[in-house]
Amino acid sequence: MTDVAGVAFRRVGLPEVSLHVAEAGPEAGPPTILLHGFPEFWYGWRHQIGSLSEAGLRLVIPDQRGYGLSDKPHGVGAYHLDKLAADVIALADARGFATIRLVGHDWGGLVAWWVASHYPDRIARLAILNAPHPGVVGSYIRRHPGQWLRSSYIGLFQLPVLPEQLLKMDRCRGLRHALTSTSRPGAFAPSDLDRYVAAWLQPGAMTAMLNWYRALAQLRRTEPPRVRAPTLILWGEQDTALQPGLAEASLDLCDDGRIAWFPHATHWLAHEEPAAVNTALQDFLA
């Protein structure tokens, strides 16, 4: 059930997984796929759906593999970035989209970057919210030890079993606190957190969500292809996990890109400044 107006749901079978997908906007509008990050699901775009639909975009918003009501394949290898990117292209194929506008936040942004680099002919426009291109992260961290400290939680996530147990305790108190303590007051209402908890407690979901991080160790350390599509990076400068320099390093991989800075927003800028984010996305995508 949802109280987000104009949203319909469908199940889309892909070659490897079946995804739960929210859709909105006119059928004939430019196809636009929105990719959520950790630890959200399709509902993370609730503030953008109405505005982007009214702008004429056809929105397709999956629970990505491992999340929400989508399939949760076993094993770390099932969450390699190549597979996550292939899901996006397979979803576009399943819906009959030759090219797409692609928007991603956090982990969804990493996937969106990877898709744009490796499937350039399929991406008409790319918008990224607080997510670095995976190809720049390693070299950036080596040059900026402060980012290594901000990313230290990823080391904890590499452990087996223990992270799942800690994050599921007391109705996922740790994850609820992570959202509210790293965002501006009011960004996540209690009712929103209840929906997230329900998604996190789906069978196998917590392990699958963490396996996205565990699969990072399998990522090849080669220079990724450049991003050819017109690219807009939206970046909340108060992000406690990601330094703004990651946005600039990612921009260096773009043939045609720019950054829109949000000085007072955190990692969760789509929730904190929805009007400004929506306007920026409308102007760029529609």
Side-chain angles (χ1 to χ4, degrees):
M1 296 296 291
T2 175
D3 55 9
V4 180
V7 175
F9 298 97
R10 72 168 72 215
R11 195 88 189 173
V12 180
L14 307 183
E16 289 195 359
V17 293
S18 173
L19 300 183
H20 175 256
V21 176
E23 296 189 355
E27 284 279 356
T32 305
I33 296 180
L34 308 182
L35 302 176
H36 65 82
F38 178 91
E40 301 194 86
F41 61 114
W42 75 265
Y43 186 68
W45 295 106
R46 59 193 174 278
H47 300 299
Q48 283 65 56
I49 291 172
S51 177
L52 297 182
S53 297
E54 291 171 4
L57 298 170
R58 179 60 179 175
L59 303 181
V60 176
I61 316 169
D63 292 345
Q64 295 195 79
R65 69 161 67 192
Y67 280 85
L69 298 179
S70 289
D71 285 355
K72 301 165 182 64
H74 295 293
V76 171
Y79 300 91
H80 190 284
L81 198 53
D82 287 346
K83 290 184 176 290
L84 304 175
D87 283 348
V88 177
I89 297 303
L91 177 59
D93 289 343
R95 298 295 290 112
F97 303 148
T99 61
I100 57 173
R101 288 154 167 77
L102 188 58
V103 184
H105 169 249
D106 184 78
W107 254 109
L110 271 71
V111 175
W113 279 120
W114 209 245
V115 173
S117 281
H118 291 89
Y119 301 89
D121 295 337
R122 303 297 300 273
I123 306 304
R125 286 181 173 263
L126 175 69
I128 302 291
L129 286 71
N130 279 69
H133 193 298
V136 309
V137 174
S139 60
Y140 183 90
I141 289 177
R142 288 191 290 272
R143 299 193 309 272
H144 301 86
Q147 180 58 54
W148 182 88
L149 293 173
R150 294 193 189 199
S151 305
S152 58
Y153 67 93
I154 297 177
L156 172 63
F157 288 175
Q158 303 303 311
L159 299 175
V161 182
L162 179 62
E164 285 92 325
Q165 293 177 339
L166 293 175
L167 292 178
K168 290 169 70 173
M169 287 176 56
D170 191 17
R171 292 188 67 252
C172 306
R173 179 179 59 186
L175 275 183
R176 286 186 281 123
H177 177 72
L179 291 180
T180 57
S181 65
T182 60
S183 61
R184 296 199 317 225
F188 295 94
S191 58
D192 297 329
L193 295 176
D194 288 341
R195 291 183 181 227
Y196 285 119
V197 169
W200 299 334
L201 294 180
Q202 289 290 317
M206 194 64 73
T207 294
M209 292 159 58
L210 292 170
N211 278 346
W212 283 51
Y213 287 94
R214 293 165 178 154
L216 276 176
Q218 302 176 357
L219 191 64
R220 58 187 180 274
R221 301 294 189 260
T222 58
E223 185 72 18
R226 292 185 60 80
V227 175
R228 298 197 326 231
T231 301
L232 174 64
I233 303 172
L234 309 180
W235 202 274
E237 294 185 58
Q238 304 306 311
D239 193 322
T240 59
L242 300 171
Q243 292 182 343
L246 283 166
E248 296 165 336
S250 300
L251 184 65
D252 288 342
L253 282 178
C254 299
D255 290 346
D256 178 14
R258 64 183 177 89
I259 302 174
W261 298 104
F262 290 74
H264 305 295
T266 73
H267 185 73
W268 310 103
L269 70 166
H271 305 296
E272 296 168 343
E273 301 197 16
V277 167
N278 292 349
T279 297
L281 290 177
Q282 283 180 3
D283 291 344
F284 179 68
L285 297 173

